[in-house]
Amino acid sequence: MAVTSTAGQPALHRRLGVTDAVLTGLGAMLGAGIFVTLAPVAATAGPGMLLALGLAAAVAYCNARSSARLATAYPAAGGTYVYGREELGRFWGHLAGWSFVVGKTASCAAMALTAGYYLWPDQAHAVAVVAVLAFTALNCFGISKSAWALRLIVAVVIVVLLLVVVVGLTSPAVATDRLDLGGSTVSGVLGGAALWFFAFAGYARIATLGEEVRDPQRTISRAITISFIIVLTLYALVGITALLVVGHTALSGSSAPLVDVVRLSGHDGLAPVVRIGAAVAALGALLTLILGVSRTTLAMARDRYLPGILGTVHPRYAVPRHAEIAVGIVVGVLVAALDVRDAIGFSAFSVLIYYAVANASAWSLAGREPSRRGVAAARVLPALGVIGCLALSFSLSLGTVLAGVVVLAVGACAFAVQSRR
């Protein structure tokens, strides 16, 4: 079942295959994950870092399967905004879209700032603004060009992460007693899992590009599964390496955890390589984040919950250019005010709510399109996904939860006003 564009507006072109779709997910996750969240996860979960990773992966798996099934049923731009609207009603679709746009806009700012701090710490905000403007321009001239850029970015990031793992695990600095789980707490593991989840959130980014992939019934499901497995494996390897070499206490206060891994391993000369890899990873995430936010903005504008001009598609390049530019401007403003760690927590809360709606939508879809195992079996993962997303979202700090609830309330009010019109 496809959702068509607004009458009179050209549809997006289906140009992306499985490889490009996987690269979109990898570019989103790898940048937002290891290089940004490792330190705050260590500060929150302590010795339970790996337990938190396992819990986050379990919730993310439920979300991935729900997103894959929904994206197959609704291969249109907009992701859970579309799924929630079609399965649960307009309000839930709007709430999901609002959560995604707001949370991922904060993520864009976090990624841009991360690149700035790694590349030129003294001028981090200026570098971030330039990065946002450059990638917004790149996206405006066609998604195929964006996909080609991702090939190079993902290759560099994977090489750097594997280099860190090899150097770390073969160094004399390894101490197996640092994997001791003593002192882990339930609240710490839950909070750490919520932050880890921020690193997994990009696995379903391809679902927001459902109108631009070839053979969506096959491509979307395969791309989500492949990218999820690759990233989980890398996260586990890097997380174990960082714990063995640095330890959770030192990690929690580190501004560049993977740089600390190579230095403590006796390879100071590799520190610049890791810094460049971190910057490239953040830029890769920024590129795909702008893609995802602009496509959800496009879908919401088509339904008149955002200004109609944002729902237009460029006739030559077949991209939502006005939505791209609007997102770029907003992110450019935010990078001047946001703190990276606060942005991560706020984004995690918003995206967990987004995926709670996705799982609820998959639960509804299973009642109408049951698998061979039956309705009850098809609803197990979506039900676990809803519970997991809500549990993790409300395990974050009180300030983050309150800010998230306020933003959701604003979105609900905006829906009420627009509905009356």
Side-chain angles (χ1 to χ4, degrees):
M1 184 187 304
V3 181
T4 58
S5 63
T6 302
Q9 294 296 336
L12 300 174
H13 291 180
R14 296 192 182 279
R15 295 173 173 171
L16 304 183
V18 174
T19 300
D20 291 329
V22 169
L23 288 171
T24 298
L26 290 180
M29 285 183 284
L30 292 178
I34 290 297
F35 295 105
V36 181
T37 60
L38 199 58
V41 166
T44 303
M49 280 183 61
L50 296 182
L51 292 178
L53 174 60
L55 179 58
V59 174
Y61 177 77
C62 294
N63 299 344
R65 298 315 308 159
S66 292
S67 295
R69 185 167 189 179
L70 288 162
T72 298
Y74 300 102
T80 301
Y81 167 68
V82 173
Y83 314 150
R85 182 189 66 196
E86 299 297 321
E87 289 294 332
L88 305 176
R90 292 187 304 121
F91 172 76
W92 294 105
H94 174 83
L95 191 67
W98 180 266
S99 297
F100 183 88
V101 170
V102 173
K104 288 304 180 181
T105 298
S107 295
C108 288
M111 291 302 97
L113 285 169
T114 298
Y117 282 121
Y118 273 101
L119 290 175
W120 193 358
D122 293 337
Q123 299 294 330
H125 290 273
V127 173
V129 171
V130 171
V132 170
L133 295 178
F135 280 177
T136 299
L138 177 64
N139 288 338
C140 284
F141 287 99
I143 191 169
S144 295
K145 296 178 179 62
S146 300
W148 274 105
L150 279 175
R151 293 178 185 272
L152 176 60
I153 291 171
V154 171
V156 170
V157 173
I158 290 178
V159 168
V160 170
L161 290 180
L162 291 178
L163 177 64
V164 170
V165 170
V166 172
V167 167
L169 293 182
T170 57
S171 76
V174 169
T176 56
D177 61 329
R178 293 182 178 136
L179 295 180
D180 185 6
L181 298 177
S184 302
T185 64
V186 174
S187 61
V189 170
L190 286 173
L195 294 173
W196 267 122
F197 184 83
F198 171 84
F200 280 105
Y203 60 80
R205 188 67 39 72
I206 189 59
T208 65
L209 307 177
E211 200 172 316
E212 295 163 89
V213 295
R214 298 188 298 267
D215 189 10
Q217 286 73 18
R218 171 179 175 271
T219 300
I220 292 174
S221 180
R222 291 188 63 186
I224 289 175
T225 301
I226 293 170
S227 60
F228 178 80
I229 292 173
I230 292 173
V231 170
L232 175 58
T233 302
L234 283 172
Y235 282 3
L237 287 173
V238 175
I240 290 171
T241 302
L243 277 175
L244 288 172
V245 175
V246 183
H248 68 85
T249 301
L251 280 174
S252 65
S254 175
S255 60
L258 299 190
V259 171
D260 290 344
V261 171
V262 296
R263 284 179 172 170
L264 290 175
S265 299
H267 296 276
D268 288 357
L270 293 177
V273 176
V274 175
R275 288 189 178 277
I276 292 173
V280 170
L283 292 174
L286 176 62
L287 177 61
T288 55
L289 281 166
I290 292 175
L291 281 173
V293 174
S294 63
R295 269 54 179 184
T296 302
T297 300
L298 167 73
M300 295 181 72
R302 284 172 171 176
D303 292 339
R304 302 307 183 200
Y305 288 111
L306 290 174
I309 193 173
L310 301 179
T312 60
V313 176
H314 194 277
R316 178 180 177 184
Y317 295 106
V319 296
R321 178 168 289 186
H322 290 145
E324 297 271 14
I325 293 173
V327 170
I329 291 173
V330 172
V331 175
V333 172
L334 288 178
V335 295
L338 281 181
D339 173 79
V340 173
R341 293 198 180 196
D342 289 341
I344 290 174
F346 177 75
S347 179
F349 179 89
S350 300
V351 175
L352 283 163
I353 297 300
Y354 172 86
Y355 282 113
V357 175
N359 281 294
S361 301
W363 191 89
S364 173
L365 179 65
R368 296 186 296 100
E369 299 180 7
S371 65
R372 295 179 181 178
R373 298 172 298 165
V375 174
R379 283 178 163 173
V380 171
L381 287 181
L384 292 175
V386 171
I387 295 170
C389 285
L390 293 178
L392 294 187
S393 64
F394 287 94
S395 69
L396 291 163
S397 68
L398 180 60
T400 297
V401 172
L402 290 177
V405 170
V406 169
V407 169
L408 291 179
V410 171
C413 291
F415 174 84
V417 170
Q418 182 62 27
S419 296
R420 288 179 181 178
R421 292 179 180 175

